[in-house]
Amino acid sequence: MPNHCFLGFFIMSFLISAKGIQPTHGSLKPQKVQFQSRNFHNILRWQPGSSLTTNGSVYFVQYKMYGQREWKNKTDCWGTTALFCDLTNETLELYEPYYGRVMTAWAGSYSAWSRTPRFTPWWETKLDPPVVTTVQVNASLLVLLRAPELPYRNQNGKNTSMENYYDLVYRVFITDNSLQKEQKAYEGTQKTVQIESLTPRSGYCIVAEIYQPMLDKKSPRSEQRCVQIP
Ligand SMILES: *[C@@H]1O[C@H](CO)[C@@H](O)[C@H](O)[C@H]1NC(C)=O
Ligand SMILES: *[C@@H]1O[C@H](CO)[C@@H](O)[C@H](O)[C@H]1NC(C)=O
Ligand SMILES: *[C@@H]1O[C@H](CO)[C@@H](O)[C@H](O)[C@H]1NC(C)=O
Ligand SMILES: *[C@@H]1O[C@H](CO)[C@@H](O)[C@H](O)[C@H]1NC(C)=O
Ligand SMILES: *[C@@H]1O[C@H](CO)[C@@H](O)[C@H](O)[C@H]1NC(C)=O
């Protein structure tokens, strides 16, 4: 029937135009809101909404500990144009779960809040590689390892190491440059490792990593330290 056809067309155009005048809230909503944490340095990061017109957006950040009723404003990131917010000082209870959330404002419109998954610093922080120094004594090599430090001092004003929070296992790898073959030289909890009877007039490179047995996680590898045995 022609009348039905006309009605169908009418409804279609109505739906299309209704979609067209829909407010842009959904598309302004920040995406991929999540904590990124290294050595308990906890940064909230997000991406702009899918709307193409988000240039000039500002963002508002709130956080809370799991179980708390009220969200707290993060004043330093209230109306920020950045796509991150440092929440290290707001997430100091390393065994407690937290949430963060972000809202966009653009040209007088506000998006809905976009929330992170639950974030527990102790479970989720990633360790930096150990700091490696080498001391060469004739044909042996002393490898000194240092665990990464927290971004803040403890109550006594001292640097605090990640060792205070995890059992750490250090792995040291050595490559004989003439053979181009890497071997594990050490795995254990000591931070001073001696590697002996290296071949004279050979070059060696050392790298190290940290392994967390309880979490079955390992750090990236350290920078290489290379030596020439006289
Ligand atoms: C975004 O805004 C800035 C400053 O207002 C302008 O220089 C830039 O060209 C804009 N970028 C886009 C993609 O519109
Ligand atoms: C957060 O900031 C907004 C805007 O300034 C204010 O209305 C609100 O009361 C603040 N919330 C808290 C918990 O301080
Ligand atoms: C965290 O708190 C310390 C000490 O109060 C302060 O020096 C530092 O600037 C704060 N960092 C951030 C990102 O707010
Ligand atoms: C290193 O080698 C020199 C010469 O062979 C020797 O005199 C010296 O005692 C060695 N040093 C160490 C710490 O073994
Ligand atoms: C403590 O940490 C600061 C900043 O990370 C660093 O510059 C300093 O060397 C550290 N001190 C010690 C004793 O490790």
Side-chain angles (χ1 to χ4, degrees):
M1 293 291 168
N3 271 351
H4 274 112
C5 261
F6 178 74
L7 190 61
F9 177 73
F10 180 77
I11 290 171
M12 279 290 279
S13 6
F14 176 76
L15 285 176
I16 288 166
S17 55
K19 199 158 180 258
I21 59 163
Q22 204 182 8
T24 49
H25 291 180
S27 53
L28 282 178
K29 193 179 169 189
Q31 305 182 89
K32 302 196 175 140
V33 183
Q34 58 188 318
F35 280 94
Q36 280 179 11
S37 176
R38 289 161 72 87
N39 310 322
F40 299 130
H41 198 182
N42 306 328
I43 314 283
L44 190 69
R45 288 183 190 279
W46 58 91
Q47 290 180 4
S50 54
S51 163
L52 295 174
T53 53
T54 52
N55 201 9
S57 288
V58 296
Y59 300 95
F60 301 91
V61 174
Q62 292 186 329
Y63 62 93
K64 68 174 183 179
M65 194 187 279
Y66 175 75
Q68 288 177 341
R69 249 164 47 88
E70 295 271 328
W71 289 91
K72 297 193 178 93
N73 295 341
K74 171 62 179 169
T75 317
D76 294 347
C77 307
W78 203 252
T80 182
T81 54
L83 295 173
F84 63 89
C85 178
D86 191 333
L87 291 179
T88 300
N89 286 347
E90 288 70 32
T91 50
L92 294 176
E93 301 288 338
L94 303 178
Y95 303 98
E96 295 292 338
Y98 291 93
Y99 292 113
R101 65 178 190 176
V102 185
M103 177 180 72
T104 312
W106 179 82
S109 316
Y110 291 84
S111 75
W113 290 98
S114 191
R115 202 191 68 185
T116 62
R118 204 186 286 183
F119 165 72
T120 307
W122 192 84
W123 284 104
E124 285 165 57
T125 203
K126 292 195 166 79
L127 262 59
D128 275 342
V131 178
V132 179
T133 40
T134 54
V135 182
Q136 188 182 338
V137 187
N138 291 345
S140 78
L141 198 59
L142 209 56
V143 181
L144 307 173
L145 303 158
R146 218 172 66 218
E149 280 161 7
L150 269 65
Y152 39 83
R153 316 247 165 149
N154 67 9
Q155 286 99 330
N156 306 321
K158 295 234 169 72
N159 288 351
T160 319
S161 155
M162 298 305 279
E163 284 178 308
N164 298 78
Y165 297 93
Y166 301 98
D167 290 326
L168 300 181
V169 169
Y170 298 90
R171 291 172 176 161
V172 178
F173 302 91
I174 185 165
T175 302
D176 178 333
N177 291 344
S178 60
L179 302 175
Q180 284 298 313
K181 210 174 127 220
E182 185 183 273
Q183 286 188 304
K184 192 190 282 180
Y186 176 77
E187 172 158 355
T189 56
Q190 312 234 355
K191 290 186 291 171
T192 305
V193 176
Q194 189 157 15
I195 302 174
E196 285 178 316
S197 30
L198 296 171
T199 311
R201 290 175 297 283
S202 299
Y204 292 92
C205 290
I206 300 283
V207 292
E209 68 188 22
I210 298 176
Y211 177 63
Q212 296 164 276
M214 267 187 72
L215 301 176
D216 191 25
K217 287 203 296 203
K218 63 183 183 187
S219 74
R221 287 184 158 205
S222 68
E223 280 180 47
Q224 283 203 121
R225 294 271 173 257
C226 295
V227 297
Q228 181 69 34
I229 304 300

